């Protein structure tokens, strides 16, 4: 029963992958060992690249892809919804509990310490994104060799624009589009 | 019903425009949910993000569920989750069925190189505004730095960052009482 298998595998992934970002990838890796035919000839790096290049969270992308390869469109839907079912229940319960107790001094203090800590955590994840975009090789192998100068210039220009009051209100998608066009132009040289 | 529809549409937009990890949705969330809709404040968004880290699941979906639940209860959470998933599912189905050949096309590779740089720039500016609104005192600075170091240099799970913040929170609460 392929649909039941898909449901159980991705429900488990949704239930146990904490921390987001690429937290679902180790689970996908395990699945690839257990059910190789779900992913065809693709490797984990291929799955990550496809997930990166298509809209949406990596976990959902991977689930849809595996579900489709294993069981067609219905398989894709089963896998994707199995993945988010634990989030739906758990987050809803926590959000309700939090709203009820927002006034309590304990919750207030906890939120005041959580906010800066999570800011640091997000900054670390951002650093990973920035590094992947601006450096080709691992930095260990030589900082100056690893730098993609064209990308650094593009990054500096875009970041500079994001500090101009009128421009920074523009929807982020226009920056992505500009980046894509600049990427194609830079590829010509 | 109108409320559910608005939630669905907002998260449909966010789901179609985010790439890669859940962190890339942050600037989109700020733009759509905080600035455009005014549904929650920047601070509450940080809370939703904090909470989404420490419970299981995909961060983007968790954040959608959190904001949806806050705006419209169980139906709101369902609408937001459906919204954030619609575009990714359709896109992956397209990729899996027809676009697989386009994948190694050099123009696509160049374009996505540029998109990644733009995502990096947008996320940098999002983090800067997040630091401005969330890091307000010495304890905040220490926690923020600790969170960065734990993930970027020690490569530990985000769970440890959340646990550290909770322990410090309990100690502060104990002292103030």
């Amino acid at each position: 029963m392929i649909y039941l298998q898909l449901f159980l595998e991705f429900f488990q992934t949704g239930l146990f992958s904490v921390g987001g970002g690429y937290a679902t990838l180790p689970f996908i890796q395990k699945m690839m060992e257990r059910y190789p035919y779900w992913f065809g000839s693709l490797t984990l790096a291929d799955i990550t690249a496809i997930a990166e290049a298509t809209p949406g969270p990596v976990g959902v992308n991977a689930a849809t892809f595996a579900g489709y390869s294993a069981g067609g469109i219905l398989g894709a839907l089963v896998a994707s919804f199995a993945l988010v079912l634990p989030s739906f229940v758990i987050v809803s319960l926590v959000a309700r509990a939090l709203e009820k107790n927002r006034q309590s001094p304990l919750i207030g203090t906890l939120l005041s310490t959580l906010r800066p800590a999570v800011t640091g955590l997000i900054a670390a994840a951002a650093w990973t994104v920035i590094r992947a975009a601006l450096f080709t090789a691992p930095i260990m192998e030589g900082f100056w060799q690893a730098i993609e100068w064209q990308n650094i210039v593009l990054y500096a220009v875009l970041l500079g624009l994001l500090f101009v009051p009128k421009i920074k209100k523009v929807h982020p998608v226009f920056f992505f589009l500009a980046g894509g066009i600049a990427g194609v132009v830079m590829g010509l040289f | 019903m109108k409320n559910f529809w608005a939630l669905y549409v907002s998260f449909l937009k966010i789901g179609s425009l985010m790439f890669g990890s859940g962190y890339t949705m942050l600037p989109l969330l700020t733009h759509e949910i905080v600035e455009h809709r005014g549904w929650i404040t920047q601070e509450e968004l940080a809370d939703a993000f904090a909470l989404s880290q420490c419970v299981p699941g995909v961060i983007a979906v968790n954040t959608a569920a959190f904001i949806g639940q806050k705006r419209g209860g169980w139906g709101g959470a369902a609408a937001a989750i459906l919204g954030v998933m619609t575009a990714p599912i359709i896109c992956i189905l397209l990729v899996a069925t027809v676009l697989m050949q386009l994948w190694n096309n050099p123009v696509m590779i160049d374009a996505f190189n540029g998109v990644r740089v733009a995502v990096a720039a947008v996320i940098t500016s999002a983090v800067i505004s997040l630091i401005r609104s969330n890091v307000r005192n010495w304890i905040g600075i220490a926690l923020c730095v600790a969170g960065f170091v734990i993930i970027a240099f020690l490569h530990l799970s985000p769970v440890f960052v959340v646990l550290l913040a909770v322990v410090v929170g309990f100690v502060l609460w104990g002292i103030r009482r």
Side-chain angles (χ1 to χ4, degrees), chain A residues 112 115-124 126-127 130 163, chain B residues 26 30 42-43 46 123-137 140-145 148:
Chain A
S112 82
R115 277 179 206 140
V118 169
T119 302
L121 193 144
I122 294 171
W127 169 237
I130 295 164
F163 280 94
Chain B
L26 188 64
T30 308
Q42 184 76 35
E43 274 192 350
I123 216 174
T124 306
S125 109
V127 167
I128 291 169
S129 62
L130 209 59
I131 290 174
R132 278 189 186 152
S133 69
N134 286 337
V135 184
R136 292 194 169 142
N137 49 34
I141 294 174
L143 282 167
C144 181
V145 171
F148 186 83

Side-chain angles (χ1 to χ4, degrees), chain A residues 17 56 68 87 92 96 115 155, chain B residues 18 47 56-57 62 69 97 124 165:
Chain A
S17 60
Y68 180 79
S87 294
S92 291
R96 293 176 88 88
R115 277 179 206 140
Y155 173 79
Chain B
M18 63 171 291
D47 297 345
N62 288 351
Q69 178 68 240
T97 48
T124 306

Side-chain angles (χ1 to χ4, degrees), chain A residues 109-110 113-115 117, chain B residues 143 160-170:
Chain A
T109 313
L110 285 180
T113 54
L114 268 172
R115 277 179 206 140
Chain B
L143 282 167
F160 288 102
V161 180
V162 172
L163 279 178
L164 174 72
V166 168
V167 169
V168 174
F170 266 109

Side-chain angles (χ1 to χ4, degrees), chain A residues 105-186:
Chain A
L106 175 60
I107 298 290
T109 313
L110 285 180
L111 285 176
S112 82
T113 54
L114 268 172
R115 277 179 206 140
V118 169
T119 302
L121 193 144
I122 294 171
W127 169 237
T128 311
V129 174
I130 295 164
R131 214 173 38 190
L134 303 187
F135 301 95
T136 43
I139 299 177
M140 301 302 162
E141 288 170 20
F143 186 80
W144 300 105
Q145 283 81 4
I147 294 178
E148 286 277 336
W149 288 105
Q150 290 179 325
N151 288 2
I152 300 255
V153 172
L154 179 61
Y155 173 79
V157 170
L158 290 174
L159 191 60
L161 285 175
L162 281 160
F163 280 94
V164 180
K166 270 193 182 159
I167 299 177
K168 91 179 171 197
K169 294 274 174 209
V170 171
H171 198 282
V173 72
F174 291 107
F175 284 92
F176 300 163
L177 267 177
I181 294 167
V184 173
V185 173
M186 291 191 307

Side-chain angles (χ1 to χ4, degrees), chain B residues 2 13 15 17 19 23 26 28 35 49 51 62 75 85 107 115-116 120 146 154 157 162 176:
Chain B
K2 215 175 144 195
K13 280 193 215 164
L17 297 176
F19 290 86
Y23 298 103
L26 188 64
L28 303 170
E35 286 167 8
F49 240 71
L51 189 109
N62 288 351
M85 289 175 72
V107 176
V115 171
R116 272 197 292 273
L154 306 180
S157 160
V162 172
R176 280 177 197 163

Side-chain angles (χ1 to χ4, degrees), chain B residues 42-104:
Chain B
Q42 184 76 35
E43 274 192 350
E44 287 171 317
L45 180 59
D47 297 345
F49 240 71
L51 189 109
S52 302
Q53 317 282 336
C54 35
V55 296
V58 178
I59 291 188
V61 175
N62 288 351
T63 311
F66 188 89
I67 295 168
Q69 178 68 240
K70 201 171 150 58
R71 286 289 304 170
W74 289 95
I81 290 182
L82 282 178
V84 87
M85 289 175 72
T86 303
I89 290 179
I90 293 172
C91 284
I92 287 287
L93 287 178
L94 279 177
V95 168
T97 48
V98 286
L99 289 176
M100 215 48 197
Q101 299 91 321
L102 263 173
W103 216 247
N104 293 318

Side-chain angles (χ1 to χ4, degrees), chain A residues 3-28:
Chain A
Y3 300 119
L4 188 66
Q5 259 175 358
L6 278 169
F7 181 86
L8 290 176
E9 281 293 334
F10 281 98
F11 185 80
Q12 241 180 58
T13 305
L15 194 57
F16 292 116
S17 60
V18 181
Y22 298 107
T24 45
L25 286 182
F27 291 88
I28 306 280

